[in-house]
Amino acid sequence: MDKLIINGGKKLKGEVSVSGSKNAALPIFVATILAGGKFEISNVPFLRDINTTIKVLESLGATIEGNGNIVKIDTTNVNNVEATYDLVKTMRASVLVLGPLLARHGRARVSLPGGCAIGARPIDQHLKGLKALGAEIRLEHGYVEATAKQLKGARINFDVPTVGGTEHLMMTAALAKGVTLLENAAREPEIVDLANMLNLMGAKIEGAGTDNIRIEGVEKLSAIDYRVMPDRIEAGTFMIAAAITGGDIKISNMQLEHLDALVFKMQDAGVEIINKDGFVRVKGPKKLKSINIKTRPYPGFPTDMQAQFMALMCLADGASVVAENIFENRFMHVSELLRFGADIMIDGRSATVKGVKKLSGAPVMATDLRASASLILAGLAAEGTTEITRIYHLDRGYESIEKKLAALGADIVRVKE
Ligand code: UD1
């Protein structure tokens, strides 16, 4: 198993380019099974979650070829309608194949994803939506079995705005008969990227990016070429890397407007952010100010940036309250941040972070994807050496992060244990 060794204290300088979005690429790959044909998807990040999605699609009968960041997907022979536990358990997003398989073949059998490190994460809203579209759903032997002769448009009101649920039902409803209305839908930019792709394929979707999405079903969709949007969470992580090290970096291939909530909070903390000439320049202040955050569905503060922002607040002047409203168990990085000498108290879904003068490098363990990123950030700012184990979590969602940080002047290497 690999680990990362960081010698902290280097101010980051230079330029870095953001990779394609993991969370956009996953549903975009799944959407290819709605049409039989040859797709070319570009700006695809090299990540373990992408490999898992490729394995899922191959297990369904797709043929896939990768060349750099371009992936060719041929879905002509997608005839298998079952996604097994082995594949779904390693990546929850695999469950998104259920509706598209059902829409194309009239039946599907997909393993229930089960728990994950950051909480129970049910799929009740996905299933409620599929039922409203006319699917018969049975839960048997750990699998969801769905059948439908003809899916029909329906009005679906989500109990909570769910990113995966909105994507799942948007894809499925694209091939249902009649009009579907998704109310209280999630508004994340990745949903807009997926809707843009589906519309290019011939779907009729309006309102993606708002909480009311209207989908007029069509009989058939066609294969197309599509470029995945940049990864806003990777971009946000680099912004914090600059801020926490007191560095000055330029970030390219990012869309700053996707990160408004983070940008406002970072500016309030004293970080300088300049969007000019195709770059976002981020300059860390001499002293950071403490700022409170509450995670919310988009356009609120992203839960996927909570751990990284908390690392930043560990070095701010004063106390800040970090409230996690999306997932119930997303403070696992706290006990690891304490090992750097941070001062954090958890009370239910809030954590109070009292800024300390310095962090000191320590051996720590990554527990989930974004927690791993927060440990890297703390390690970059800490005095001395940090060793991060279990970094396979990181490889699920950050493309070559240690290489990109090293190119910015960080002293960080990956070693085999
Ligand atoms: C997606 C992102 C993940 C991000 C999360 C929230 C992908 C691949 N992953 O995950 O990085 O952290 O959005 O921004 O895009 N819920 C239910 N019932 C459901 C579905 C969800 O109660 O059927 C709850 C969840 O437990 C959670 C909340 O809704 O509390 C939001 O979850 P959701 O938006 O669905 O997250 P994902 O799509 O799984």
Side-chain angles (χ1 to χ4, degrees):
M1 246 189 285
D2 296 0
K3 61 183 177 185
L4 289 177
I5 313 273
I6 305 172
N7 286 305
K10 307 271 185 304
K11 289 182 194 292
L12 299 193
K13 293 235 169 340
E15 281 179 29
V16 65
S17 172
V18 173
S19 299
S21 160
K22 166 181 91 75
N23 284 356
L26 299 181
I28 281 171
F29 272 41
V30 170
T32 64
I33 59 181
L34 287 165
K38 292 182 177 161
F39 290 78
E40 190 173 291
I41 312 295
S42 53
N43 203 30
V44 177
F46 272 121
L47 300 171
R48 201 155 53 92
D49 275 7
I50 297 288
N51 274 335
T52 307
T53 315
I54 288 176
K55 280 192 205 140
V56 172
L57 296 184
E58 282 175 342
S59 79
L60 300 174
T63 323
I64 300 180
E65 261 175 65
N67 182 5
N69 292 97
I70 296 178
V71 177
K72 291 184 176 171
I73 307 177
D74 185 347
T75 50
T76 313
N77 297 317
V78 168
N79 294 318
N80 182 10
V81 294
E82 175 166 326
T84 59
Y85 180 58
D86 283 354
L87 292 168
V88 180
K89 76 172 183 213
T90 55
M91 193 190 66
R92 293 178 42 80
S94 318
V95 82
L96 298 183
V97 300
L98 181 66
L101 286 174
L102 181 67
R104 196 165 145 198
H105 297 287
R107 65 193 178 87
R109 187 168 184 269
V110 173
S111 168
L112 272 169
C116 81
I118 60 173
R121 296 179 86 172
I123 56 161
D124 58 308
Q125 298 301 305
H126 301 230
L127 299 183
K128 161 177 134 167
L130 292 177
K131 279 184 200 155
L133 295 177
E136 264 191 49
I137 307 267
R138 283 182 309 280
L139 298 182
E140 267 173 41
H141 311 299
Y143 277 73
V144 185
E145 296 187 10
T147 48
K149 283 211 180 68
Q150 168 71 63
L151 293 169
K152 292 202 179 74
R155 192 171 152 198
I156 298 161
N157 190 291
F158 290 107
D159 299 353
V160 281
T162 148
V163 177
T166 303
E167 291 166 346
H168 198 167
L169 291 163
M170 205 165 71
M171 287 192 276
T172 312
L175 285 179
K177 204 176 167 69
V179 173
T180 296
L181 297 173
L182 301 181
E183 296 168 355
N184 195 25
R187 295 185 275 171
E188 270 67 1
E190 293 76 14
I191 295 170
V192 178
D193 209 27
L194 174 65
N196 289 342
M197 171 183 182
L198 292 168
N199 282 340
L200 270 181
M201 288 168 68
K204 292 186 176 164
I205 302 174
E206 284 170 15
T210 75
D211 55 4
N212 268 296
I213 304 179
R214 183 182 188 276
I215 304 142
E216 194 178 321
V218 295
E219 259 177 41
K220 206 170 165 289
L221 295 167
S222 334
I224 49 140
D225 295 345
Y226 197 73
R227 184 176 170 84
V228 177
M229 65 179 269
D231 196 305
R232 65 193 166 102
I233 305 301
E234 187 198 1
T237 304
F238 285 125
M239 290 172 72
I240 295 195
I244 202 169
T245 60
D248 182 354
I249 70 169
K250 278 172 148 185
I251 309 174
S252 60
N253 191 32
M254 73 171 283
Q255 283 170 272
L256 192 63
E257 65 277 15
H258 291 162
L259 283 167
D260 280 350
L262 173 70
V263 168
F264 288 131
K265 291 294 180 184
M266 289 184 70
Q267 285 172 333
D268 288 350
V271 181
E272 210 179 315
I273 299 167
I274 306 153
N275 191 8
K276 215 173 132 199
D277 305 329
F279 285 99
V280 174
R281 183 169 172 192
V282 184
K283 278 165 84 173
K286 284 223 165 58
K287 191 68 209 161
L288 287 156
K289 281 184 247 151
S290 283
I291 296 296
N292 300 337
I293 58 159
K294 286 185 179 156
T295 64
R296 299 267 183 221
Y298 189 84
F301 193 96
T303 174
D304 286 352
M305 287 302 306
Q306 180 256 105
Q308 301 92 313
F309 198 84
M310 189 186 284
L312 184 68
M313 288 300 100
C314 288
L315 285 168
D317 205 9
S320 83
V321 179
V322 173
E324 173 57 54
N325 293 310
I326 309 290
F327 293 112
E328 80 257 28
N329 187 22
R330 209 171 194 180
F331 281 141
M332 282 172 315
H333 42 286
V334 169
S335 49
E336 300 301 305
L337 288 173
L338 295 179
R339 298 178 53 78
F340 289 93
D343 181 349
I344 308 169
M345 283 275 290
I346 302 178
D347 182 10
R349 285 191 161 204
S350 287
T352 303
V353 186
K354 284 193 191 141
V356 292
K357 289 233 155 41
K358 65 173 179 91
L359 297 174
S360 68
V364 290
M365 198 174 75
T367 49
D368 69 59
L369 173 55
R370 306 304 169 187
S372 327
S374 79
L375 302 181
I376 293 186
L377 294 168
L380 291 175
E383 277 180 5
T385 305
T386 292
E387 198 179 297
I388 309 179
T389 48
R390 298 211 185 165
I391 54 164
Y392 48 85
H393 292 289
L394 200 67
D395 296 332
R396 284 189 41 215
Y398 285 95
E399 186 175 50
S400 316
I401 190 166
E402 73 280 8
K403 291 195 187 113
K404 290 188 182 187
L405 289 169
L408 291 170
D411 182 347
I412 176 170
V413 284
R414 179 187 286 255
V415 295
K416 300 250 176 247
E417 262 186 316

